[in-house]
Amino acid sequence: MIEIKSLTLSELKTALTELNQPAFRAKQVYTWLHRGVRSFEEMTDLPKTLREKLAAHYLLTAPVPVRRQESQLDGTIKYLWQLHDGCCVETVLMRYHHGNTVCISSEVGCAMGCVFCASTIGGLVRRLSPGEMLDEVMFTEQDSGQPVSNIVLMGIGEPLDNYDNVCRFLELVNSGEGRNIGMRHISLSTCGIVPRILELAESKLQLTLSVSLHAPDDETRSKIMPVNRRWPVDELLEACRIYYEKTNRRISFEYAMIRNVNDSPETAKLLLKKLRGLPAHVNLIPLNHVEESPFAPSERGTVLRFQKLLEDQGVACTVRRTLGSDIDASCGQLRKKYSKNPSL
Ligand code: SAH
C-alpha cells in the first residue's frame, strides 16, 4: 500500500483526482496529514465515503511511543518509536534557549560500520520513508507538547544512504502548507558519501551540512570509519569545498574526541592544514562510551587543548554540550537495549 504522508501536495492532487474528488480536497487532506492525525477517521470535514476510500487505498503511518525517557538534568526527551512493521527508531527532543531541536533517525540501523557508533551494530534493517521521518517530527511535538523549530538529521542511520527519501522529507517538512520549517533550521549529518554530497550541492538547499570527520588522516579515519576506504579524506574535503562554492554555506565538521586515537596536538595541526581555506566550524564531541566498543573519551583537558589549537589559528571550534547523558540519549543506545530486552 502507498504511504499517503510521503506524497507531495501535487501528487496528492493527482491521487485524489483519480478517486474522482474535487481539487480542493487535496489541500484539506494534506493539512490533516501534516497536523499529525492518527487515522483517516479524524479528518472530520471529509465525507465518510472518502475517508473509507482513502483507508482502503492508502497506508497512514502513526508510530507508537514504546519508550519515553526524560532527562532530569536538562529536559531532553528521548523517544523510541515503533513503526507499522514493528521496527523501532529513536528521536531526541533537545531544549535550547533559542528553541527546541528534534534529532531524527533516517534509517532503521545503519550500514556504515563506524566502530564507535551504537547505531550500526546490527547493520541496516531498512530505510525510513519520507512520511516516517515527518512522523518523528510531528509526533514528538504532539506527545511532548513542545513545538519544534529546528531539525537535525543526526539520529540512527546515514541520511545520504537514503538520499531520495531524505530529499522528499525535506520538501515535505519545508512546505508552506505543512510544517513550514525553513531549510536554514535544518542540519544534515553525513559520514561522507562523496557523490551524494556533490548531488546535494547541486540542489543548493540552504540547510547546514555536517560532516562526521573524526580524523584528518586516512590511516586513522579508515580504521574508525570504513566509509573512508571508499572516499578518503582529501576527496571528502574536496567535495566539501565544492559544496561551499555552490551553496555558500559554511560546513560544520563533527569530531568525536577518542582517547589516544585522534586527540593529539599533531592531529590538531594536521586538521588545521587540511581545513585551510575552507570556511568551517568544528564541533568537538566528547566520545560517548558504547558498551561494545574499546574506545574511551578524551580527557577534558585534552579536548580543551585541541580546541585552543584550532581557535588560535582562526578556526571556529566548539565543544558540544552533552545533553541527556542520564537517558542513553546518544545514537542508537536505546534501540539496542530495547531489542535485547523489550521488557526493560
Ligand atoms: N550517519 C550520520 C549521522 C548520524 S550520527 C553521520 O555519520 O554523520 C551523528 C553523529 O554522532 C556523527 O558525527 C557520528 O559520527 C557521531 N557519533 C556516533 N557515535 C558516537 C559516539 N559513541 N560518541 C560520539 N559521537 C558519536
Side-chain angles (χ1 to χ4, degrees), residues 103 106 110 112 114 116-119 153-160 188-192 210-214 225 254-257 285-290 293 320 330-331 333:
C103 173
S106 55
C110 184
M112 297 299 126
C114 301
F116 45 81
C117 180
S119 300
L153 283 129
M154 290 188 183
I156 299 172
E158 166 51 47
L160 297 188
L188 183 153
S189 178
T190 178
C191 64
S210 284
V211 173
S212 300
L213 192 57
H214 302 324
M225 301 180 72
E254 289 153 288
Y255 197 102
M257 297 288 290
I285 316 167
L287 184 82
N288 263 298
H289 183 67
V290 172
S293 137
R320 184 177 291 176
S330 54
C331 299
Q333 296 189 8

Side-chain angles (χ1 to χ4, degrees), residues 3 150 164 174 193 272:
E3 276 183 37
N150 297 281
D164 293 342
N174 180 236
I193 301 186
L272 277 166

Side-chain angles (χ1 to χ4, degrees), residues 151-154 158-160 186-193 197 200 207-214 221 225 236 240 243 249-255 281-283 285 320:
I151 299 174
V152 297
L153 283 129
M154 290 188 183
E158 166 51 47
L160 297 188
I186 301 177
S187 293
L188 183 153
S189 178
T190 178
C191 64
I193 301 186
I197 292 176
L200 193 64
L207 52 76
T208 301
L209 181 68
S210 284
V211 173
S212 300
L213 192 57
H214 302 324
R221 195 164 190 271
M225 301 180 72
L236 174 58
C240 291
Y243 187 90
R249 299 284 293 162
R250 187 171 75 157
I251 305 217
S252 178
F253 288 98
E254 289 153 288
Y255 197 102
H281 173 265
V282 176
N283 202 206
I285 316 167
R320 184 177 291 176

Side-chain angles (χ1 to χ4, degrees), residues 128-143:
L128 293 189
S129 70
E132 286 176 318
M133 288 181 255
L134 190 60
D135 283 340
E136 292 183 67
V137 177
M138 293 190 306
F139 290 112
T140 295
E141 280 187 317
Q142 203 177 87
D143 186 274

